[in-house]
Amino acid sequence: MAHHYSDLINLFEKTFFSEFNTKLVLGGDEPIYLPANSEISYHRIIFARGFYASALHEIAHWLVAGKERRLLEDFGYWYEPDGRDEDTQAEFEKVEVRPQAFEWILSKSAGFPFNVSCDNLHGDFEPDRLAFMSKVRDEVAKILEVGMPSRVQALSQALCDYYSMPAPQISDFKVE
């Protein structure tokens, strides 16, 4: 099944633009979220280099962000770049569990492969990818048990419909 970022851009806009004044936008090397300003009247989720996975990841951060955070550049979140030590990596993973759980749900909804991102290729230690993926899977299970937040549900359904995929079930999420 082909996954083109342009399809995701169109689905996102159809699902959210009228209510949230937000567009998904192809960017360069670095993703960023930019709220509307005096020059551009809509909010922009800018994803990296045309990668479908990058678009899903940045959408997931937008889905986590509340109304006030969506008025701040990059949602006002803390970010420590690649090259983190073990303690800083642990903090990074704590704040990444929920967005990566949303990303995994959306990936399943689109029939697109998901890879957890430890995002620390140049750190002074090797992060435990499987342990982190287990935490993300546990978060997916909690989300599916209580019900997806409305924006996650809306995009999940749009992706399932577009790609003719069944709604994600907890049994779909395996740590490998």
Side-chain angles (χ1 to χ4, degrees):
M1 171 179 338
H3 289 87
H4 299 286
Y5 70 80
S6 58
D7 297 329
L8 193 52
I9 287 172
N10 292 332
L11 285 170
F12 185 90
E13 188 163 333
K14 285 179 191 174
T15 305
F16 296 118
F17 186 73
S18 65
E19 183 176 354
F20 295 99
N21 192 38
T22 304
K23 290 186 178 188
L24 182 63
V25 178
L26 171 63
D29 289 339
E30 293 299 322
I32 190 167
Y33 174 78
L34 298 172
N37 59 37
S38 61
E39 295 172 16
I40 299 179
S41 63
Y42 54 88
H43 311 296
R44 291 161 288 153
I45 303 168
I46 301 171
F47 65 100
R49 294 181 238 136
F51 294 137
Y52 195 92
S54 174
L56 287 175
H57 185 80
E58 297 311 313
I59 289 169
H61 279 286
W62 179 80
L63 291 167
V64 169
K67 187 176 182 177
E68 295 301 316
R69 286 221 180 247
R70 293 192 308 267
L71 298 176
L72 303 172
E73 183 174 317
D74 256 353
F75 313 109
Y77 289 142
W78 162 87
Y79 179 76
E80 182 74 26
D82 189 347
R84 295 179 284 278
D85 62 27
E86 196 166 350
D87 291 337
T88 308
Q89 181 67 22
E91 289 301 311
F92 169 82
E93 290 179 8
K94 275 190 219 174
V95 299
E96 278 290 312
V97 167
R98 189 148 181 98
Q100 291 202 32
F102 286 171
E103 179 185 353
W104 200 353
I105 290 167
L106 297 176
S107 294
K108 283 291 180 192
S109 301
F112 186 78
F114 171 78
N115 291 301
V116 72
S117 175
C118 295
D119 197 23
N120 199 30
L121 300 173
H122 304 293
D124 57 1
F125 77 103
E126 179 80 21
D128 187 339
R129 184 184 163 284
L130 289 178
F132 181 50
M133 192 165 191
S134 291
K135 292 175 187 173
V136 173
R137 191 226 177 255
D138 291 346
E139 186 69 14
V140 167
K142 289 177 194 171
I143 292 164
L144 294 178
E145 183 179 311
V146 300
M148 290 182 239
S150 61
R151 290 182 297 144
V152 178
Q153 176 61 49
L155 188 54
S156 174
Q157 187 61 58
L159 290 165
C160 286
D161 291 347
Y162 186 80
Y163 291 105
S164 300
M165 296 296 296
Q169 304 295 316
I170 192 56
S171 59
D172 298 332
F173 298 86
K174 310 264 190 269
V175 176
E176 302 172 322

